[in-house]
Amino acid sequence: MQWILLWIVVITIALGWKYPLLGFSVPVVMLAGLVGSLYNGRYVCGNLCPRGGFFDRIMSKLSRNKGIPKIFRNSILRGTIFFALMGFMFYRLMQDPLNIYHWGYVFWVMCVITTAIGVALALIWHPRGWCSFCPMGTMQSVIGGGKNQLEIDADACVKCGLCEKNCPFDLTIYSYGSEGHLPDRDCLKCSECVISCPKDALQWPGSRSTNQSSAG
């Protein structure tokens, strides 16, 4: 799915200057993230975001893949960036509020600027560096980050570290085994950790019982 969706951001950036209406892909993704966060936190970020797909599938091959700096996850920094970028976007939109092409162009500009920052951070640090303080990611984390938290079976876990190695968001996972779940609100719900676990120690809420019922 990510390989298909990533072309949305590529085409938008490449042609949006000439066809401004392509810029409306930005608010569509924003709306999807907002609605999705009500049900499953940052699921859209991890599975349906075109730019997220671009970072995971393209930039991960070019990145130094160093850890995401802790400062990027700082709540004050994230809040500041959220209000600064959202404020700037609405300011620009209101300069010609009845012109749909102007709106599309503004969305395109925002997409180009933020993606350029994301690419730079991916090359220097980590593919998902931008996503750690992305305004929409922050909003999804605040609204629904506590929903459907990853379950950890401490008895089954052998602490091999594969879950953390394969996590596209550089999260600490298996050390929360004693709590029985991953409390990090920024989990992307991408299932990379679940797939990589050799002991099936990681599951999403309800999936274990579903699998057992299917097996029976």
Side-chain angles (χ1 to χ4, degrees):
M1 181 62 74
Q2 283 188 323
W3 278 110
I4 295 174
L5 293 175
L6 69 82
W7 286 102
I8 294 177
V9 72
V10 172
I11 292 173
T12 297
I13 290 176
L15 301 177
W17 63 274
K18 186 173 183 180
Y19 304 103
L21 293 184
L22 287 173
F24 279 90
S25 64
V26 174
V28 169
V29 174
M30 292 171 65
L31 180 60
L34 174 60
V35 175
S37 68
L38 297 173
Y39 301 95
N40 203 9
R42 296 193 66 172
Y43 177 86
V44 171
C45 285
N47 298 271
L48 302 176
C49 175
R51 184 157 56 192
F54 176 76
F55 290 149
D56 284 347
R57 304 305 166 188
I58 303 298
M59 294 311 302
S60 63
K61 295 176 175 55
L62 305 174
S63 176
R64 297 172 66 186
N65 287 296
K66 299 175 65 176
I68 298 176
K70 291 183 178 180
I71 185 63
F72 288 2
R73 304 182 192 273
N74 181 273
S75 58
I76 296 178
L77 173 66
R78 296 174 71 171
T80 300
I81 292 176
F82 177 87
F83 288 109
L85 287 181
M86 292 298 101
F88 176 73
M89 183 180 70
F90 283 114
Y91 167 74
R92 291 285 288 117
L93 290 175
M94 290 302 102
Q95 290 185 323
D96 195 354
L98 301 181
N99 187 340
I100 190 173
Y101 293 98
H102 169 73
W103 278 49
Y105 181 77
V106 171
F107 290 135
W108 173 75
V109 169
M110 295 297 295
C111 183
V112 170
I113 292 175
T114 54
T115 301
I117 295 174
V119 168
L121 294 178
L123 293 174
I124 298 172
W125 280 295
H126 191 278
R128 285 275 190 166
W130 162 259
C131 302
S132 61
F133 55 83
C134 166
M136 295 311 299
T138 295
M139 182 187 68
Q140 292 174 58
S141 175
V142 171
I143 293 175
K147 297 180 180 297
N148 298 319
Q149 293 180 329
L150 180 70
E151 296 178 347
I152 306 173
D153 185 342
D155 294 329
C157 177
V158 294
K159 298 180 173 58
C160 64
L162 286 175
C163 55
E164 296 183 3
K165 182 179 180 180
N166 287 279
C167 176
F169 213 41
D170 195 29
L171 298 182
T172 298
I173 301 174
Y174 68 81
S175 62
Y176 288 103
S178 60
E179 297 185 26
H181 67 278
L182 177 64
D184 199 312
R185 300 180 68 89
D186 279 320
C187 175
L188 301 180
K189 309 293 195 300
C190 64
S191 295
E192 293 292 341
C193 59
V194 176
I195 295 171
S196 65
C197 180
K199 298 298 182 179
D200 293 327
L202 305 175
Q203 297 285 341
W204 297 111
S207 62
R208 194 180 301 278
S209 59
T210 299
N211 292 337
Q212 291 175 346
S213 296
S214 298

